[in-house]
Amino acid sequence: MAETTKPFVLIDTPGHQKLRHGMFDALRVAQAARTIQGVVFVVDASAMTNGDSFRQAAEYLYDVLLVTNGVRGGTDVLIAANKSELFTAVPAKRLRSLFETELNTIREMRARSLGQTALQSEKADEAPVPDNYRWLGKPGETGPLRLVDLETEVTVLDGSVETGKVDGWVSWMEERAANP
């Protein structure tokens, strides 16, 4: 197990859909108070070949990125690809590419959904934008979403809690704790 050189506070929140709302509220409060240096988004890299598991993870990541990207300079996000030692694990570089593709799909689906709502309104040009809808990426950007173009710095690193291969994750956290 890795030893840290600088202490930092790590808050663990559940990933279950029914419990996520509290995490988003806490994240927004921490950003407003400027007390957060990063978000560690843990995924089971061995389950990312399962379409449903991957889509759910991508939906959650999209919503996390909407919040982290919503402040000047963004809040850095580490996608910690756990269980990377397993045969079925998707490597970090490939996982990043898959997430970019799926995040684009989600963005397009949400934009179409919003467009349909506006079209159904009597005054389409005055249709209200739902409070929970924001465009992920730069305003007015119409091309494909690329993670490198976000205010939020997104890093994807392989690792494994089971084997103790977490040095990269710990280094990432320490770097943010040392450079708030």
Side-chain angles (χ1 to χ4, degrees):
M1 188 64 127
E3 293 212 19
T4 63
T5 56
K6 177 158 176 46
F8 55 85
V9 176
L10 179 65
I11 301 169
D12 184 18
T13 61
H16 193 278
Q17 269 183 326
K18 291 182 180 180
L19 304 172
R20 290 180 187 170
H21 67 283
M23 187 281 302
F24 288 111
D25 292 342
L27 182 55
R28 284 185 190 96
V29 167
Q31 282 184 305
R34 300 220 178 264
T35 59
I36 186 169
Q37 281 74 44
V39 172
V40 180
F41 187 86
V42 181
V43 296
D44 180 345
S46 69
M48 293 297 98
T49 55
N50 174 317
D52 288 339
S53 294
F54 179 71
R55 271 187 292 287
Q56 288 175 10
E59 284 276 349
Y60 192 14
L61 178 60
Y62 189 94
D63 292 334
V64 167
L65 290 174
L66 279 176
V67 175
T68 61
N69 201 53
V71 296
R72 176 180 270 184
T75 299
D76 294 348
V77 173
L78 167 64
I79 301 173
N82 191 29
K83 300 183 184 178
S84 63
E85 79 282 5
L86 298 178
F87 179 74
T88 57
V90 177
K93 187 174 181 180
R94 175 78 176 125
L95 191 57
R96 181 183 183 87
S97 173
L98 290 171
F99 270 127
E100 278 187 342
T101 300
E102 189 64 20
L103 292 171
N104 272 295
T105 301
I106 293 166
R107 183 169 77 163
E108 289 170 14
M109 285 177 17
R110 290 184 181 186
R112 274 197 304 264
S113 174
L114 180 64
Q116 290 294 358
T117 302
L119 289 173
Q120 292 168 356
S121 170
E122 287 181 26
K123 298 178 181 177
D125 58 336
E126 295 178 19
V129 175
D131 288 339
N132 64 349
Y133 179 82
R134 287 185 311 169
W135 184 257
L136 182 57
K138 294 178 181 160
E141 176 183 78
T142 56
L145 172 69
R146 295 176 356 158
L147 293 175
V148 297
D149 294 334
L150 297 177
E151 284 285 320
T152 294
E153 180 185 315
V154 180
T155 305
V156 185
L157 295 174
D158 290 322
S160 173
V161 172
E162 180 71 26
T163 64
K165 183 185 169 203
V166 295
D167 291 347
W169 303 345
V170 171
S171 294
W172 184 91
M173 288 183 271
E174 284 183 327
E175 183 179 315
R176 270 117 199 109
N179 302 307

